[in-house]
Amino acid sequence: MRVHVDQDKCQGHNRCIVVAPELFEVDELGTASVVGDGHVPAELEDDARLAVDNCPEYAITTTDD
């Protein structure tokens, strides 16, 4: 699984950082991005799905590898 953040949709609510800090980082303006290449380790897949479900702007998506 890979996680993605649409930079055009992200409004900096940072809920993703709260639910999955291992998968996301935030810049000085509060915009989230993925850590590394977005690969999600198997043990963090539930956290990635939770981040998708908690993003009010629908800026986070996942894809299968």
Side-chain angles (χ1 to χ4, degrees):
M1 172 187 283
R2 289 197 189 278
V3 68
H4 311 274
V5 176
D6 183 331
Q7 298 292 307
D8 293 329
K9 291 182 179 179
C10 181
Q11 296 295 306
H13 296 283
N14 294 315
R15 292 181 184 179
C16 56
I17 302 291
V18 173
V19 300
E22 304 89 349
L23 300 176
F24 301 94
E25 55 193 11
V26 63
D27 67 15
E28 64 279 351
L29 299 176
T31 304
S33 59
V34 296
V35 172
D37 65 359
H39 174 76
V40 179
E43 66 271 12
L44 296 177
E45 287 183 359
D46 287 341
D47 291 345
R49 289 184 193 97
L50 190 59
V52 170
D53 292 342
N54 277 278
C55 181
E57 305 300 334
Y58 305 103
I60 302 171
T61 57
T62 58
T63 56
D64 293 329
D65 275 345

